[in-house]
Amino acid sequence: MSAYILVVAAPVITAGRMGDIVGPRVVFIAGMILFTVASALCGAAGEPWQLIAARAAQGAGAALITPQTLTILTAVFPPDRRGLPSAVWGVTAGPAGLAGPTLGGLLVAEGGWRWIFHVNVPIGIVTVIVAFVLIPGTRPGGRPHLDLTGALLATAALGAITYGLLEGDRYRARHVDPVSFRGPAGAGLTAASPGRGPG
């Protein structure tokens, strides 16, 4: 779980910028393909290290997908029709997170732990096909570019914060001073901000 969450959280800003550069449809489909293949590898893993590596790849796919969803929504629906799709997106995101552990437990109980990964494969394949057919290709305006320094700093900052939150108990970190986050987090996020503007 830690490998997945860490890889999802750390590069999410950079993944969003990649969508600005090459288009959200391309990044979304690439992320979904990676997520689907990694899910199959998770289900086929025979050793712990194989499962950890596949989960990390799965997290990388999810990191590519997540920032593109609202961008694609705004590309598909005109401004006067975005209210309902935005509401559906918001309403389903929360319950989906709550239902995940319950459905996962059911799959494990009925079919074994590998099925919590196998179930993603047909869903991912259908999603990729639907994305190819229905999601329009959008050309980024201007000449956006990736601020490599900002991307590395943002990824490092988010990765460090996420790792601390995940592993704090392991190192007996019972109290975290919020001030301690200002340096690394502020540096990374501030450095990444200029890269979000037009290149």
Side-chain angles (χ1 to χ4, degrees):
M1 178 63 78
S2 295
Y4 176 85
I5 295 175
L6 185 62
V7 180
V8 168
V12 69
I13 292 177
T14 302
R17 185 57 176 164
M18 290 173 62
D20 294 340
I21 296 171
V22 302
R25 178 178 183 265
V26 173
V27 179
F28 178 86
I29 292 173
M32 185 58 67
I33 291 172
L34 177 58
F35 184 88
T36 304
V37 172
S39 295
L41 293 175
C42 286
E47 299 290 339
W49 70 266
Q50 295 174 342
L51 180 58
I52 293 171
R55 281 290 279 166
Q58 197 182 37
L64 292 174
I65 294 167
T66 303
Q68 318 310 325
T69 53
L70 284 176
T71 305
I72 290 172
L73 187 150
T74 59
V76 172
F77 295 97
D80 59 338
R81 296 178 56 195
R82 288 178 192 157
L84 180 58
S86 298
V88 171
W89 183 93
V91 167
T92 56
L98 295 174
T102 302
L103 295 177
L106 180 62
L107 286 171
V108 170
E110 295 297 327
W113 66 268
R114 295 181 188 276
W115 276 99
I116 63 176
F117 301 111
H118 290 325
V119 72
N120 293 329
V121 176
I123 296 174
I125 292 172
V126 171
T127 302
V128 169
I129 294 171
V130 171
F132 269 114
V133 174
L134 296 183
I135 297 178
T138 56
R139 295 178 178 271
R143 298 179 60 188
H145 69 282
L146 179 65
D147 177 4
L148 184 58
T149 301
L152 291 174
L153 286 172
T155 300
L158 290 173
I161 293 171
T162 304
Y163 182 82
L165 293 173
L166 290 171
E167 301 294 334
D169 285 344
R170 182 178 179 182
Y171 297 101
R172 298 183 179 179
R174 301 300 180 185
H175 173 72
V176 178
D177 184 358
V179 176
S180 64
F181 283 117
R182 292 180 184 174
L189 298 178
T190 301
S193 296
R196 294 292 295 179

